[in-house]
Amino acid sequence: MTRTAVPGDGAGGRHATPGRTARGLNPAAVVPVVCALAAVTAGAGLTPPGNAPPLPPGTPTGAPVPAPENDSPPAAPTLPGPAAPTLPGPAVAGAARAPAVPFGGHRRSYAPGALRPTGTRADVDARVVALYRQWRAAFVRTHCVGAHVISPDAEVPVVGEAQGYGLLVAAYLAGADPGARELFDAILGYVLAHPSSRDGDLLAAEQDAYCRDVNGGDSATDADLDIAYALLLAHRQWGSRGRHDYRVLALRRIAAIARSEVDPVTHLLRLGDWATGSGELARTSRTSDWMLDHLRAFRRATGDPYWDMVRRAHQRALSNLLAGPGAGTGLVPDFVVDTHAAPRPAAGRVLESEHDGQYSWNACRVPLRVGVDAVTSGDARSVAAARAVTRWVRRATGGDPAAVSSGYALDGTPLAAGAHPAFVAPLAVAALSDPTAQPWLDALWRHLVATPVSSHGYYAASVQLLSMIVVSGNYWVP
């Protein structure tokens, strides 16, 4: 997403503009993306020409990802996908340590009654690993400091959200990918090299094709939440005695989120560290940032009941939306406004598009957010939210994932045709908590397994991969 000036917006004149709605819908907007910092290009003999920097010489190589560890090891994944790129840099101290929660080990159980796709765990796990290999080969680049995840379907080549996704994926795939910790540390190196211009313990959310911070160099809350959470995962997986002290970095970022991205009055999440003051955007929140499992993890890591208060504020806001505008569908809007009074769906465009007050390219992740909290915490409010959207969408589509629309008005009126993976995949996570949804879950899983990664669709592929990690039973809260 890009940023543009709006006088009197209460955010220093900077806010996000349409980008998410272009994902997968505007091929003409897709740009070739690669970073080439001087120190790297000089050593590699690269000279980036014009606005289309070259890929590094040679074909990316890397050790293949083996089948996940399990009591019954699955066959090697059958879906195609080139090898992941080799990551630069020295070996990580302590990198040989086995992950504490290896992918495929299923050492953490979900809440009682949670569903899983029909089939063997070995086969389900192998499908996730196969998609991961495609995702890593398509979107991980190593042309700047460390490694980063590119976003060819966003309006800037590199976005913070993507780095958060990359760190999460690396931490969860540890045990299936022997290079997972190396990948994690490489992306973390990139994150640490790009501090926000407003709060240096947060990430500058946007970079250009040469990895230079652009559009103010300030933060995006969803990226910082995922990064902090991923650091807690890494501390649990590998400990903090290697190249980075994951726990210290996590606590520092959690503290920065509290001071710069949580409204001190409402305790609702702001859009970023730039959304301050008294303007409209300072009183706007993105529903897909309401990551309840992350807030629970922050409470556990810090021991601070403040994070319980923040979590409860978001649960109240979500319940009010589902009892009001989303009653009967379980749908919520991309953005809510008037957070200091009575949070309500945005009326038309407030930040990204005319669909900001509808279930669109941000809110499509909410079934993933509430669904994962439902299966990991068993919280009755999250379970109810997951079941509400599941039961409505099953009726609306006749149980056919291909009939899912790419966006809805909150009353369930479709906005766009086409079952985009970013809209389909999170619904599978929500379905895990509905005991009547086994046929629907199986249909969704078959649909996702048959959906390969598009090299132009980082957003869809990332949401799909994260959702499949959850559905496979390999998600856990640190």
Side-chain angles (χ1 to χ4, degrees), residues 95-139:
R97 170 176 167 171
V101 189
F103 182 91
H106 298 282
R107 296 179 182 178
R108 301 286 186 90
S109 298
Y110 286 170
L115 302 179
R116 67 180 189 183
T118 299
T120 67
R121 279 187 163 173
D123 179 69
V124 169
D125 290 344
R127 299 294 185 172
V128 178
V129 174
L131 190 75
Y132 164 71
R133 294 184 64 184
Q134 296 178 56
W135 176 90
R136 180 171 170 169
F139 305 116

Side-chain angles (χ1 to χ4, degrees), residues 20-84:
R20 211 173 296 280
T21 53
R23 289 184 171 126
L25 300 179
N26 183 10
V30 175
V31 294
V33 177
V34 75
C35 296
L37 291 179
V40 178
T41 56
L46 303 176
T47 305
N51 61 0
L55 290 173
T59 303
T61 59
V65 180
E69 298 175 8
N70 205 338
D71 293 337
S72 302
T78 57
L79 296 182

Side-chain angles (χ1 to χ4, degrees), residues 2 57-58 65 106 154 170 205 242 252 305 338 392 402 447 478:
T2 59
V65 180
H106 298 282
R252 186 179 301 160
D338 292 341
W392 170 78
H447 183 93

Side-chain angles (χ1 to χ4, degrees), residues 102-446:
F103 182 91
H106 298 282
R107 296 179 182 178
R108 301 286 186 90
S109 298
Y110 286 170
L115 302 179
R116 67 180 189 183
T118 299
T120 67
R121 279 187 163 173
D123 179 69
V124 169
D125 290 344
R127 299 294 185 172
V128 178
V129 174
L131 190 75
Y132 164 71
R133 294 184 64 184
Q134 296 178 56
W135 176 90
R136 180 171 170 169
F139 305 116
V140 175
R141 297 290 182 268
T142 60
H143 315 299
C144 299
V145 175
H148 60 282
V149 180
I150 60 170
S151 50
D153 45 341
E155 290 195 354
V156 293
V158 187
V159 295
E161 165 193 274
Q163 313 323 307
Y165 290 160
L167 291 171
L168 291 174
V169 166
Y172 280 119
L173 266 293
D177 180 359
R181 185 174 185 182
E182 187 179 10
L183 174 61
F184 187 98
D185 282 351
I187 297 174
L188 180 57
Y190 181 91
V191 167
L192 296 177
H194 292 276
S196 168
S197 61
R198 291 177 177 262
D199 188 324
D201 288 324
L202 302 175
L203 172 65
E206 299 175 346
Q207 287 83 47
D208 65 14
Y210 297 91
C211 299
R212 297 171 298 200
D213 294 341
V214 294
N215 299 320
D218 41 26
S219 78
T221 298
D222 57 346
D224 294 314
L225 289 166
D226 277 341
I227 291 166
Y229 184 84
L231 286 164
L232 294 176
L233 290 173
H235 174 68
R236 178 73 179 90
Q237 285 286 44
W238 302 296
S240 292
R241 292 193 295 175
R243 181 180 301 166
H244 301 289
D245 189 324
Y246 303 128
R247 184 175 183 276
V248 167
L249 290 173
L251 293 176
R252 186 179 301 160
R253 198 162 296 261
I254 291 168
I257 292 168
R259 69 174 172 258
S260 295
E261 295 179 333
V262 178
D263 187 289
V265 176
T266 67
H267 299 110
L268 294 177
L269 289 161
R270 294 167 167 164
L271 300 170
D273 60 4
W274 52 272
T276 59
S278 58
E280 180 182 29
L281 293 177
R283 300 186 177 191
T284 299
S285 188
R286 181 187 290 108
T287 57
S288 57
D289 292 355
W290 300 357
M291 307 176 198
L292 303 178
D293 63 318
H294 290 32
L295 302 178
R296 294 183 196 277
F298 297 170
R299 168 66 167 91
R300 188 175 299 118
T302 63
D304 190 345
Y306 168 81
W307 290 107
D308 289 333
M309 184 165 52
V310 174
R311 172 178 54 80
R312 287 193 292 267
H314 290 88
Q315 288 180 302
R316 285 193 298 270
L318 180 62
S319 295
N320 289 338
L321 288 172
L322 294 177
T329 63
L331 300 174
V332 299
D334 277 8
F335 298 94
V336 295
V337 297
D338 292 341
T339 55
H340 279 237
R344 58 179 177 80
R349 175 177 170 177
V350 66
L351 191 69
E352 294 190 1
S353 80
E354 67 274 18
H355 299 303
D356 283 352
Q358 299 170 317
Y359 181 85
S360 192
W361 292 90
N362 286 289
C364 65
R365 295 173 290 183
V366 171
L368 166 61
R369 305 305 190 200
V370 298
V372 77
D373 189 62
V375 295
T376 56
S377 76
D379 189 290
R381 289 160 293 188
S382 294
V383 171
R387 290 180 180 177
V389 69
T390 296
R391 293 176 181 181
W392 170 78
V393 77
R394 287 171 63 192
R395 294 193 303 270
T397 62
D400 181 5
V404 172
S405 295
S406 294
Y408 292 94
L410 299 188
D411 66 1
T413 302
L415 299 179
H420 194 281
F423 286 85
V424 176
L427 296 171
V429 180
L432 297 176
S433 293
D434 186 341
T436 71
Q438 187 68 56
W440 172 238
L441 174 62
D442 289 341
L444 288 165
W445 182 255
R446 290 191 298 269

